[in-house]
Amino acid sequence: MLSPAPFSPSLLLTLGFAALLALQLLLRLWLVSRQVRHVARHRCAVPAAFAGHIALSAHQKAADYTLTKARTGLIDMAVSTALLLAWTLLGGLDALNQWLLGWMGPGLHQQLALLAGFALVSGLAGLPLSIYQTFVVEQRFGFNKLTPGLWLADLLKSTLVAAVIGLPLAALVLWLMASAGALWWLWAWAVWAGFNLLLMWLYPAVIAPLFNRFEPLQDETLRTRVTGLMQRCGFAAKGLFVMDGSRRSAHANAYFTGFGSAKRVVFYDTLLKQLSPAEVEAVLAHELGHFKHRHITKRLIGLFAMSLAALALLGWLSQQPWFYAGLGVRPSLEMLLSGGNAMAGNEALALLLFLLAAPVFSFFVAPLMAYFSRRDEFEADAYAAAQAEGSALASALLTLYQDNASTLTPDPAYVAFHYSHPPAIERLARLPAPALNPHTP
């Protein structure tokens, strides 16, 4: 009696990928349903901790905004899952690759066309929902300031920048994958890491001005206050700038950008309109807390370490025919059958399949990454409270939560999985009490 044939590696990969994708989808649906129920259940009353600070109308607007985004997120989840299946197990990536091979023949030019075609189709598939989110959801809640013309200009510029920067980098990585031997992934990692550092250095002065106007901070009182804070904290920046964020959105923010001597402090103009000088100083002190605790450096090192491990894994997977077959792709077997490099001619396929599959397998570590991010935010808050006025940071957070329509009552499980910043009630519990908001009825 013949024993049943064992599962092949490609079949095991197909089954494992499908099972994890289904499990991920069910978990995401469960988390969203919890968030929707929790926010809706607490919509009718401002939490006691925020009484006197947040108006009921603002609390309900935040709840409605959160619920609307959650429902839109369900559509995004369905579209992205369908697109992932279409690209992989349903053969979409294989069909695009075979069509380009028939039209262009094999070679680096065909592989670059495959990467570009994948990006184009994926971008077009996500465009309707992006338009809906901007011109319906954000418009409904008073946040969108984009005109159709500005939106289109941003889209064209971002596409052009991505092509000018991305295609040469992709060509170099593909060439390394084909020509640098078994340790190609180490050389590719060095190129990728160097490119990211260069981009951090170039972004403030070269790329960001393509999309926004940056003007030196003119408010001398605020400039003096902010400069004094940075001197106390031992932080040197190339300049203090105000960005015209109000051209696109009513949301407010402040951030550091750049690398080394090119570091800049950038304030959204909406932030300066919403906060007092003491509150702006406290928000900046929070950002300086990230600098002081080396959070940015640690995250960058962690990112580089994970990318090195990922490329090393790709270096092995790209040599396995079952990796391609298990994810719905027919690799070129010419070199494999002749005893050559199994990846030859399949570099772009290997790269795209890995980029598609990796999030499915790594999704379940998201709570750990979110936990470390929230821990860093608490540390930055504590630093800000020591270097500036803790009550000013608390009142600034309240204003930003209210003006950005951030819900005050998120579901704890949803927070654990998705929140990179602690919920408002947890952050404010560790800060001095803010002054009563004079604008709250």
Side-chain angles (χ1 to χ4, degrees), residues 155-371:
L155 177 64
L156 293 175
K157 283 190 286 188
S158 60
T159 302
L160 181 60
V161 169
V164 169
I165 295 176
L167 287 177
L169 177 65
L172 178 56
V173 169
L174 291 173
W175 178 80
L176 288 171
M177 292 174 76
S179 307
L183 292 180
W184 68 263
W185 51 270
L186 187 58
W187 292 105
W189 174 81
V191 167
W192 181 84
F195 167 78
N196 274 271
L197 293 176
L198 178 63
L199 195 61
M200 289 174 63
W201 183 69
L202 289 176
Y203 179 82
V206 178
I207 298 176
L210 295 175
F211 298 91
N212 291 96
R213 289 194 299 270
F214 295 84
E215 297 180 353
L217 179 63
Q218 299 295 333
D219 187 328
E220 287 300 328
T221 302
L222 182 58
R223 172 181 284 274
T224 300
R225 189 163 193 159
V226 165
T227 301
L229 171 68
M230 292 195 298
Q231 289 174 347
R232 293 198 306 273
C233 297
F235 183 87
K238 193 170 183 179
L240 307 174
F241 293 88
V242 179
M243 189 186 88
D244 60 338
S246 58
R247 290 181 66 209
R248 291 171 172 80
S249 173
H251 292 298
N253 199 4
Y255 65 93
F256 291 135
T257 185
F259 181 73
S261 61
K263 289 195 295 289
R264 293 184 176 190
V265 177
V266 176
F267 301 101
Y268 281 38
D269 55 356
T270 46
L271 184 84
L272 299 184
K273 292 176 183 177
Q274 293 168 357
L275 302 183
S276 69
E279 291 171 335
V280 172
E281 180 188 32
V283 169
L284 181 58
H286 169 90
E287 299 301 327
L288 288 170
H290 288 305
F291 162 75
K292 192 67 175 181
H293 287 288
R294 301 185 183 278
H295 294 154
I296 310 282
T297 302
K298 291 174 183 176
R299 289 177 190 178
L300 196 59
I301 292 173
L303 175 64
F304 285 171
M306 287 189 291
S307 64
L308 179 61
L311 282 170
L313 177 60
L314 176 58
W316 176 71
L317 288 173
S318 62
Q319 298 293 323
Q320 315 304 319
W322 54 262
F323 170 65
Y324 303 91
L327 293 174
V329 167
R330 291 169 291 166
S332 173
L333 298 178
E334 179 180 351
M335 293 298 292
L336 177 64
L337 295 175
S338 64
N341 180 2
M343 188 177 60
N346 300 311
E347 292 84 8
L349 282 176
L351 190 59
L352 288 174
L353 285 177
F354 190 79
L355 291 175
L356 286 166
V360 176
F361 290 90
S362 63
F363 175 78
F364 300 95
V365 302
L368 183 63
M369 305 302 293
Y371 165 78

